[in-house]
Structures are given as structure tokens and as C-alpha cells.
Amino acid sequence: LGMPVPGYVAPQEGPTTEAAKDAMSQLSALFIRAAELGVLKEPLVREVSDEMAACAVDKHPELGDLVPPESFQAMLHAWASLHGFTSLEAYGHFDWMDDVDRDALFRSHVRTIALAAGIPAPPV
């Protein structure tokens, strides 16, 4: 099974770009809602570069003071981790497991991400 075509860039207004924006909006909404409810905890990794803090302000001003830079970084870690799992699944790298086992692995993966990011983990 192949990977995406080298050098391909999705069109700015295409369906893949729109889907990526929607996914990131949903993920950031989890962090915003957790902060609004007072349940956003410090993520496991709290060291944030000045550049990452500036990126948070520049790229996502809607997060404001509600989601601190370390949580913005954790949100990006969560996105990368979920994207990686999804890519492995999409390209058949988990096909050696049955559906029940893959679902259980995904649920535990989501819990791990949530705990590392400082957002409430879904129930077991």
C-alpha cells in the first residue's frame, strides 16, 4: 500500500483542505470547551518554545487566553497522533487485527492522547 503522492499539494479550496480544517476545528473545540468548563489540565509536556507560543497567537487568535500555549502545543500533538493512527489504519497497517481489536486499540489511543493533552479522557 502506498503513501500520498510525493510533491502533491491539496488545492486551497478543495475537499481535503476543507476536511482538514473541519477536523482541526473540532479538535480545538474540545480544548476550548474543556477550558470553559474549568477541566483543562496542564498537559504532560509543558515546555513550549517562544516560536510555538507566537504561532498559537498568530494562527489561532480565537483561543485567546483561554487555551495557554502549552495546551495549544498539546492540541497539535493530539492532532499529529490521531492523524498518524488514522493513516496507519487507512493504509492497512492494522489489517492483521480484527475489527474489535482495532476499535479497542483506537479507544485506548484516544484515552492516552487525552490524558497527555490535559483534556478529559472518554470513559473506558
Side-chain angles (χ1 to χ4, degrees):
L1 296 170
M3 294 300 286
V5 179
Y8 172 76
V9 177
Q12 276 300 88
E13 300 303 321
T16 55
T17 302
E18 190 63 33
K21 288 178 183 176
D22 287 348
M24 195 60 188
S25 292
Q26 292 296 315
L27 185 58
S28 66
L30 291 173
F31 282 79
I32 290 168
R33 187 69 178 139
E36 289 171 344
L37 294 173
V39 295
L40 180 63
K41 297 179 179 149
E42 287 186 336
L44 291 180
V45 176
R46 292 185 287 277
E47 301 79 27
V48 178
S49 69
D50 292 340
E51 293 81 10
M52 179 57 67
C55 178
V57 172
D58 183 49
K59 300 294 183 184
H60 290 279
E62 75 278 8
L63 300 178
D65 294 330
L66 193 58
V67 178
E70 61 271 15
S71 293
F72 174 78
Q73 178 175 271
M75 181 176 62
L76 295 177
H77 288 160
W79 178 43
S81 187
L82 288 169
H83 188 272
F85 190 101
T86 303
S87 295
L88 289 168
E89 174 70 19
Y91 287 102
H93 296 289
F94 293 139
D95 284 354
W96 55 274
M97 286 187 261
D98 65 32
D99 290 348
V100 172
D101 293 336
R102 283 195 305 257
D103 289 349
L105 180 63
F106 182 73
R107 283 192 303 276
S108 67
H109 188 66
V110 168
R111 287 184 54 72
T112 299
I113 292 167
L115 291 169
I119 58 175
V124 177

